[in-house]
Amino acid sequence: QVQLVESGGGLVQPGGSLRLSCAASGRFSDISLMGWYRQAPGKEREWVATISRLGNAKYEEFVEGRFTISRDNAQNTIYLQMNSLKPEDTAIYYCNGLVEVQPDRGPQAYWGQGTQVTVSS
């Protein structure tokens, strides 16, 4: 059993900042890649950022320079620091993890329930 739980969403004014957290819990051997995705009303879910276990991070072009992804392997937690937020950043943000539940099996992708981020004046 694996669970990913996001937190930290809310309402913020344009130009403001917000920090999201995602904690993984349950029975698993390892989590390799973890990342953040978002989905705005009427649009498909899109990739925002990913980070490897060693801390190598990649970002979607639109958020690069404004968002920072990080992870704490000891706590099985990732974070997304969002600065200079824009109204177009409004979406439900989802946490994703590539989890090795059984070492002799392939990794499985797990998703959190999402946390709402609203950027509005």
Side-chain angles (χ1 to χ4, degrees), residues 105-120:
R105 301 287 196 279
Q108 301 176 20
Y110 286 83
W111 293 89
Q113 294 297 310
T115 184
Q116 177 71 49
V117 172
T118 302
V119 185
S120 177

Side-chain angles (χ1 to χ4, degrees), residues 6-47:
E6 303 97 334
S7 62
L11 175 64
V12 65
Q13 294 183 339
S17 298
L18 211 58
R19 186 177 70 172
L20 307 182
S21 300
C22 172
S25 62
R27 297 165 55 189
F28 52 85
S29 298
D30 186 42
I31 305 178
S32 55
L33 289 175
M34 297 188 73
W36 292 96
Y37 297 73
R38 68 185 183 185
Q39 186 169 20
K43 302 182 68 175
E44 295 184 352
R45 187 174 301 184
E46 65 179 0
W47 168 69

